[in-house]
Structures are given as C-alpha cells and as structure tokens.
Amino acid sequence: MSSMTILGGHAAPLGATFDGEGVNFAVFSEHARRITLCLFSPDGRTETHRIDLPERDGDVWHGYVPGLRPGQMYGLRADGPYAPHEGHRFNYNKLLLDPYAKRLTRHPEWHDALMGYRVGHADIDLSFDRRDSARYMPRCVVEDVLFAWGRDKAPRRPTSQSVIYEAHVKGMTQLHPDVQHKGKFLGLASDAVLDHLVKLGITAIELLPVQAFLNDRFLIEKGLVNYWGYQTLGFFAPDPRYLAHDQIAEFQHMVARLHSAGIEVIMDVVYNHSCEGNELGPTLSFRGLDNRSYYRLADDPRYYINDTGTGNTLNIDHPMVLRMVLDSLRYWVEEMHVDGFRFDLCTTLGRTPTGFDRGASFFDAIRQDPVLTRVKLIAEPWDIGPGGYRVGGFPPPFLEWNDKFRDGVRRFWRGDAGHVAVLADRITGSALQFDHSGRPATTSVNFVTAHDGFTLMDVVSYTQKHNEANGEGNRDGHNDNASDNMGVEGPTDDPKILAVRAQRRRNLLATVLFSQGTPMILAGDELGNTQWGNNNAYCQDNEIGWLDWSDYDADFLDFVRRLIAFRREHPILRQKRFLHARERIVDGLEDLFWWRADGRPMRDEDWGAPELKTLCAEMRIASGTPIYAQREEALFLVFNRGPDVEVKLPEAPDGRRWRLWIDTGRPEIDGKVMTLPTVFAGCETTLMLELEAYND
C-alpha cells in the first residue's frame, strides 16, 4: 500500500469530519492498543491504505488526512487483547464500522469471517478467528451533511394538537400506485403520500427505525429479512435500503417536504442494544472497538447482560457511550431536522446496577440538553429485564406509549366484564399513571394498534394470531390480543359480519380520538389494511407487511377524517390539564361529570355493577385553564357496549340544545340537533354530542 500523510488532527468531533481541505478522524476506545484507519478505492473493493491514528487524547484516537474529500470510503481496525473472560474481544483481522459514520454503502454479507471467534471450534467464542472480514463488510463513507434547506421550518406543533401516524417507509409506499420511488425516503416525500396525510389530518409521522440496521442471519437463512429494523448497525447513518441514489440528502429532502405540509417527523430509535448480539454474535463495530466499554457485561465479562431480549445491552452509564447517543440525537435534529424520537425499550436507557431510575444519567442528560428539549420525546416504557414495566414512571418531558389504553379499550369493546371503569380511566388520560410530577394529560400516547401486533382490521377479524409465515411454528408474537373475529376467523363475505366489524373499528378509533392524551394511529388502519392475522410481521418485507392501496375502505377513510377533524376543532378533547370529577382544585368549576344512562350521577356502587355496559361522560374545559382557551362549553360522550339504550342528556342551560356530531352506529349523522331530552345509543356505539354555543 502506498504511503499517505496523516497529521495529528483533533479529538473532536468524533467520526469523520470534512473541513474543506481534508478529513479529521476521531474514534473512542478505552482499551485498544492502536486504532487503524483503512481507506478504500472509489468502488470500495480494494483496501488502498492502512494508517494508524497517530494521536490519543484520553480515550479518543485521532488523525487528520489532508486531501481526502466526501465520498471517500473507509473502515477501522482495532488492536488489543482478545480476552473474553476479561470482557475484551479485539480482533485486528475484522474491519469495523465507525460508530459515527454518516453513511454506509450496504449491509453486511453473512459469512463466518464476520465472527471474532472460529465458528465450530470446541472453545466456541474463546477461540480466535484470523480471517479478514473486509470483503463481507459495508464501507463507511465520508459525508458533507450540508443541505440547502431553504425556508424549511419545523412545524413545532404543541403536543395537545398532535395526531401521530406510525408508519414504515417501505410499507407505506411500496404498493402505492402513484409513488415513483417505491420503498424509499423519496417515495414518502411524494405528492401522493403528502396529500393522503394532509387530508387525513395527521400532524406527525412516526417512522419505524430508519437508522442503518442489520438483517439477522437466522432470517436470511430462512429467506426472510429484518423488515422493521430493530437491530441498529449505525446510529448516524440512514439505512441504505431506503436511499434511491445513495445520497443522505434524500432523507433531508423527505423531512423538508413533510415540513412543508405541516407534518413533523418522529424517528423510532433503538439505543438500548446493538445488532451484534451476544458472545456468539458478529464483530461489526462496538464489540471490536471496545467491548468492555460499549456493553453491559455480566459478572463473568465473557457474557452480556440481556435486558432487551436481543443478546446485549448498551452501557449507557459509560460517559462515552452516553455521549455517542446524545451526539446521534442532536445530529438528527440539527443536521437532518427531525422533530422528535420514540425510544424503543426506553426502560433499558434508565436502568442502573440497582434497577430503573427516572433520574438516571440518560434522562438527566436529555433534560438539560438545549437541543433535545425542543423536540418531542416518547418512551416505550418497558423492557424484559427485572422490574422492566414502567408505564407512568418516566420523567417529564417524556410522553409514553400507554398499552393500558390499548388493552382496556379493546377489552371494553370486546365486551369483557368490569371494563366500564377501566374505560373511564383511559378516556380521561390515565391519570393514575401520569398525573404526577407536573406531567400534562398529553403524556399518555393513546393507541389501540401499533406495528407490534394486529392491525385494526385484524383486531376485529381474528381471535388467534396466524404467524406461520415467520417460520417459527406460530410460537412468536403475543398470544393475548384482546381481539374478536365476530364469528368467522379471517376473511368473510358475510355482510352482517362485515358490518359489525366496520362498526367495531369505528368505535375503537373514535375512542382513541375522543380521549384525553396524544392519539396515535397505525398506518393503514384508516384504509382497512390487513396483515392476514400476523401480529408479528417484523420479518415480512412483502404483501403481508406492506399497505394495500388497491382496495381500501373509502367510507371508513372518510369517517376517520371526520374523527380527526372533530378532535382538531374541539379543545376540550385535547387538554393539557387533567380532568378530575369531584376534585375542583383551582377555581371551583366542575370539569368532568359521570352520568348514568337514566340521567342520574354515577355513584360509587354503580361502577362495579356487573350489568353496567354504558359509560356517559360530560367534559368541560379543565379547571384552572386560562380563560382564553375556553372557546367551547361542554361535550357529552356515550360509549355503549350493551343493548340499545335511551340516554337522558344533561340539562342544557338557557334553553340551548345538544348537537349530535358522531354516531358510530349511524356514521352518516353529522350535526343532528337533539330536540328530545334523550338520545338513542344503539348496541355497540359511540356518540359524541356538543352543547350548542350561544350564537348557534
């Protein structure tokens, strides 16, 4: 290999940084003896130079190569002890990815040479593999992240106005007839997709992982792939499969286009683990750079703590690992202009040697960060570790996915006994979980479906999961789905069953959108999309996992648009303050009333009555809300899971009347004035009534 000049450079920033005249490389490793920079030919096939980084400041190795420019392909090698029982797994024969790489050329190609140990050896991972892994590894690419943002401006919508739409980049676009760049960021930025989101009333799109991720070997061997993306390979690089022209500007263009439509971009991010797995996994990046620093290890450091179910757990307690996570988050906000993050298995990020701590270093670092406190932060509040279920336990400003909402609402509409009181808690923001520490009612992210589980159509079409296509004997995925097939498992042409399924779907989404909190809907639910009973489509990069735009339910789509529009137009449904019956804390004004169907107030003994199937709630602007926000007086909601019932309406003051806007049993109703003192609630219906304003 020919020689190349390398200067000392700088220890910051980490990664590969182009300054107009050359590139600075800086890499963290506490336990390495040397770090080598590997440069490759323009086609990436030939390793042209190996250059040891000449300087070390603390635990950061660095060097500066004059003349290098964006587009240069590179990788790293790390030399140090291979001593698994001491937590060290250095292997200089393995090409490693820069944790700060802004772009990767492709995905790793599975081969035993990716392992630091000799596969099949009697000592398993205690053995040492001397094969060079470079031919099977992607290349890192030096990038200039500058982008002509023009007049791009973050929508910065208040959370109280948010309607989140969880979507997959490829799944959303692959089958859309009017999208050119199918399955790509550019496809998501198309006029057809933007038009759909805007007409639906979406304010934020939450993308399943788009940071570079790994296709697991066991999936490749079964002819499947990692479709969802929860096996991160690089925290700064967009996944190559979503780039049409190998340009990170494609992601930036997508964000700018969504912003132009008033839609925020939230990224689902996975900082709890990496794709390298346990001690039998490949050596791709962190393991080879400094295994003992990047991962939480067991008492015998040969093994990994596995609070994530993926084989390893990142060591967020280490200051340099925490720095990498924060640098990554800030990069996506400052350079890529994203508007928020949903943290996968977020409990893991707050887990310390003594258990979960809402004051852990990760949370404290986030809360003091002037960049990250400007964006939306959403926690998935659980992991599989001890004490890992922490719904309601996160500090502000985090919002949290609320699976209690999902399960309680599904079970109420399925007809499970004793769930009227549960529904009352859920539609008022799950105050028991979230009304503390100054957290607003918008903290609860309310959903009945998400990527992990049944689609809305499947919730009403299947009693059992059907995951045979995943190749695991239908053993994967949740067994308890609180679903109901309405009499026939799966597809049917029976008009009666189709009608009750449609009404159940209307009820489920009406409950989401009429509840206090932050609503989230799953992409495709508004279309009637099905996954044919698969409730764990993580490996289904095909028609099972893609949205079917060819035969969507136009009537249901129109109904969902009406629900979202009604929520947008009625501040009572999206308050920051919690509603509390019988608790008038600030100004003595009542803001929540629970009624029986006969018009009498609910009593304590009524809530536990086994025959209770109907919930009636009168909501007003929360006590203490500034007077300027009180633009409407009252809404009256009826959730009826029982037989047909006449519900007596609360007496309207000054001779005014109630106006019926939504009836899930009669979806054509839109603004009917109630001249009678009662309203008809058919079997399994949701009603939404508004008290007429003085000038109506």
Side-chain angles (χ1 to χ4, degrees):
M1 296 183 184
S2 60
S3 61
M4 179 171 283
T5 300
I6 186 165
L7 308 177
H10 304 281
L14 291 167
T17 306
F18 174 64
D19 65 0
E21 297 182 354
V23 179
N24 189 82
F25 296 90
V27 182
F28 159 73
S29 180
E30 181 179 350
H31 298 102
R33 289 193 287 256
R34 64 170 168 154
I35 299 290
T36 300
L37 171 67
C38 305
L39 302 179
F40 290 85
S41 59
D43 61 6
R45 296 179 180 177
T46 305
E47 188 174 354
T48 59
H49 298 85
R50 287 190 185 182
I51 313 167
D52 290 344
L53 296 181
E55 297 289 340
R56 177 176 181 174
D57 286 358
D59 298 324
V60 177
W61 304 73
H62 55 92
Y64 179 85
V65 183
L68 289 188
R69 304 194 62 79
Q72 174 65 55
M73 297 187 188
Y74 72 101
L76 302 168
R77 296 179 188 271
D79 192 13
Y82 189 85
H85 282 299
E86 298 174 15
H88 300 309
R89 294 182 177 272
F90 292 98
N91 189 331
Y92 195 75
N93 301 291
K94 308 305 171 184
L95 186 71
L96 306 174
L97 299 177
D98 176 6
Y100 281 69
K102 304 303 189 298
R103 183 163 70 88
L104 304 180
T105 56
R106 57 182 177 87
H107 300 100
E109 177 185 341
W110 278 107
H111 189 275
D112 287 349
L114 295 177
M115 308 299 178
Y117 62 93
R118 293 168 60 190
V119 176
H121 193 276
D123 291 331
I124 315 177
D125 64 302
L126 298 181
S127 61
F128 187 79
D129 188 272
R130 300 184 181 280
R131 287 173 291 184
D132 194 316
S133 67
R135 66 177 294 183
Y136 308 106
M137 285 290 289
R139 313 297 184 230
C140 306
V141 183
V142 176
E143 286 286 345
D144 185 349
V145 299
L146 293 178
F147 180 75
W149 286 102
R151 297 182 179 180
D152 178 67
K153 185 178 181 180
R156 295 198 184 284
R157 290 182 180 269
T159 305
S160 61
Q161 297 179 8
S162 294
V163 178
I164 299 173
Y165 186 85
E166 192 196 27
H168 187 283
V169 171
K170 186 172 184 179
M172 182 78 177
T173 60
Q174 185 64 27
L175 296 179
H176 199 297
D178 299 322
V179 169
Q180 179 180 359
H181 297 284
K182 300 180 187 299
K184 309 296 182 181
F185 294 127
L186 294 180
L188 203 63
S190 66
D191 289 342
V193 172
L194 295 185
D195 183 64
H196 176 76
L197 296 176
V198 170
K199 288 182 178 177
L200 188 57
I202 298 303
T203 70
I205 186 167
E206 182 178 303
L207 300 178
L208 268 67
V210 296
Q211 294 171 332
F213 55 88
L214 183 72
N215 283 318
D216 305 73
R217 189 172 194 170
F218 80 96
L219 290 175
I220 296 298
E221 291 173 348
K222 292 193 297 184
L224 300 169
V225 298
N226 178 3
Y227 174 58
W228 284 350
Y230 292 93
Q231 287 282 44
T232 308
L233 181 64
F235 292 122
F236 292 77
D239 193 272
R241 75 192 73 191
Y242 301 138
L243 298 175
H245 307 294
D246 298 327
Q247 299 293 322
I248 63 174
E250 297 172 44
F251 182 92
Q252 295 166 309
H253 172 77
M254 175 195 71
V255 172
R257 288 275 291 159
L258 286 161
H259 282 181
S260 71
I263 298 170
E264 296 178 314
V265 179
I266 298 172
M267 289 174 54
D268 195 336
V269 288
V270 188
Y271 294 109
N272 55 80
H273 74 280
S274 86
C275 64
E276 291 184 306
N278 62 14
E279 67 277 3
L280 300 181
T283 296
L284 306 174
S285 182
F286 308 126
R287 175 173 285 134
L289 285 170
D290 195 340
N291 184 69
R292 191 177 180 97
S293 294
Y294 276 103
Y295 294 114
R296 293 180 60 211
L297 304 179
D299 291 339
D300 180 350
R302 174 185 177 184
Y303 303 106
Y304 297 77
I305 291 175
N306 183 21
D307 290 333
T308 64
T310 62
N312 66 58
T313 305
L314 283 183
N315 184 18
I316 303 296
D317 279 345
H318 193 290
M320 294 302 289
V321 181
L322 177 61
R323 175 179 170 182
M324 177 187 68
V325 171
L326 295 175
D327 284 348
S328 169
L329 292 169
R330 283 189 292 263
Y331 171 78
W332 289 101
V333 173
E334 294 182 307
E335 303 295 345
M336 311 301 267
H337 286 206
V338 304
D339 306 282
F341 304 95
R342 180 265 192 187
F343 295 90
D344 178 66
L345 301 184
C346 197
T347 298
T348 302
L349 303 180
R351 192 178 292 283
T352 68
T354 59
F356 177 80
D357 181 1
R358 67 197 304 270
S361 57
F362 171 75
F363 298 128
D364 286 348
I366 289 279
R367 296 175 70 186
Q368 63 78 46
D369 192 286
V371 172
L372 301 179
T373 49
R374 299 200 309 261
V375 301
K376 292 180 171 64
L377 306 170
I378 304 171
E380 182 184 37
W382 49 75
D383 67 13
I384 68 166
Y389 186 77
R390 292 287 171 172
V391 172
F394 286 74
F398 281 84
L399 283 64
E400 299 180 34
W401 272 26
N402 186 358
D403 65 329
K404 290 181 179 294
F405 184 97
R406 176 196 65 198
D407 297 344
V409 170
R410 285 190 188 185
R411 290 192 169 99
F412 171 82
W413 286 114
R414 191 173 64 174
D416 292 17
H419 273 70
V420 172
V422 173
L423 182 67
D425 289 338
R426 301 301 158 234
I427 68 169
T428 52
S430 300
L432 182 63
Q433 283 72 39
F434 300 111
D435 188 11
H436 61 82
S437 309
R439 305 181 82 184
T442 51
T443 297
S444 174
V445 176
N446 299 329
F447 64 99
V448 289
T449 54
H451 70 276
D452 187 2
F454 280 151
T455 67
L456 186 66
M457 179 62 82
D458 290 355
V459 168
V460 303
S461 303
Y462 294 89
T463 301
Q464 305 294 329
K465 65 183 182 181
H466 295 270
N467 297 353
E468 291 81 4
N470 296 354
E472 299 180 41
N474 204 33
R475 294 183 300 273
D476 62 303
H478 297 293
N479 292 313
D480 183 8
N481 297 284
S483 60
D484 186 356
N485 65 21
M486 310 297 184
V488 174
E489 187 76 353
T492 180
D493 293 327
D494 188 320
K496 293 182 179 179
I497 293 177
L498 292 176
V500 295
R501 286 178 177 180
Q503 186 160 337
R504 179 72 60 85
R505 287 189 289 140
R506 290 194 291 268
N507 282 319
L508 288 165
L509 278 194
T511 308
V512 170
L513 289 159
F514 291 165
S515 295
Q516 303 295 323
T518 302
M520 183 185 80
I521 63 177
L522 175 65
D525 279 353
E526 75 280 14
L527 306 174
N529 189 64
T530 179
Q531 291 178 171
W532 311 108
N534 192 317
N535 74 350
N536 189 33
Y538 76 104
C539 55
Q540 298 299 329
D541 187 5
N542 50 45
E543 286 80 1
I544 293 175
W546 303 337
L547 270 61
D548 182 3
W549 296 87
S550 64
D551 187 26
Y552 65 87
D553 187 335
D555 291 338
F556 189 70
L557 174 59
D558 180 67
F559 185 77
V560 177
R561 288 171 176 167
R562 286 179 53 206
L563 293 178
I564 295 174
F566 189 91
R567 180 182 180 86
R568 181 176 60 248
E569 295 162 3
H570 292 81
I572 284 179
L573 295 175
R574 44 185 180 81
Q575 302 186 62
K576 291 184 64 178
R577 291 181 180 271
F578 283 91
L579 302 172
H580 291 287
R582 303 180 184 175
E583 298 178 20
R584 312 301 166 220
I585 300 172
V586 180
D587 54 14
L589 297 176
E590 296 182 278
D591 51 41
L592 177 62
F593 306 84
W594 299 114
W595 299 102
R596 301 192 325 189
D598 62 8
R600 298 178 182 180
M602 287 286 287
R603 302 165 301 181
D604 289 343
E605 57 267 29
D606 292 329
W607 290 104
E611 70 276 8
L612 183 64
K613 296 292 184 180
T614 305
L615 178 67
C616 303
E618 182 183 355
M619 295 182 179
R620 299 175 180 267
I621 289 292
S623 178
T625 300
I627 194 69
Y628 65 81
Q630 300 183 26
R631 292 171 288 183
E632 55 183 325
E633 188 157 343
L635 296 176
F636 188 72
L637 294 85
V638 179
F639 301 91
N640 181 36
R641 183 54 183 84
D644 297 351
V645 62
E646 287 286 343
V647 177
K648 185 174 181 180
L649 297 171
E651 184 176 349
D654 306 322
R656 284 179 286 161
R657 297 168 297 180
W658 291 94
R659 185 180 293 271
L660 178 63
W661 286 103
I662 301 291
D663 182 341
T664 58
R666 296 174 291 173
E668 72 280 359
I669 287 179
D670 188 5
K672 179 181 179 181
V673 176
M674 306 306 299
T675 56
L676 298 176
T678 61
V679 63
F680 173 77
C683 177
E684 192 164 333
T685 58
T686 302
L687 306 181
M688 169 59 77
L689 297 99
E690 179 186 18
L691 185 63
E692 284 185 314
Y694 283 101
N695 58 356
D696 276 5

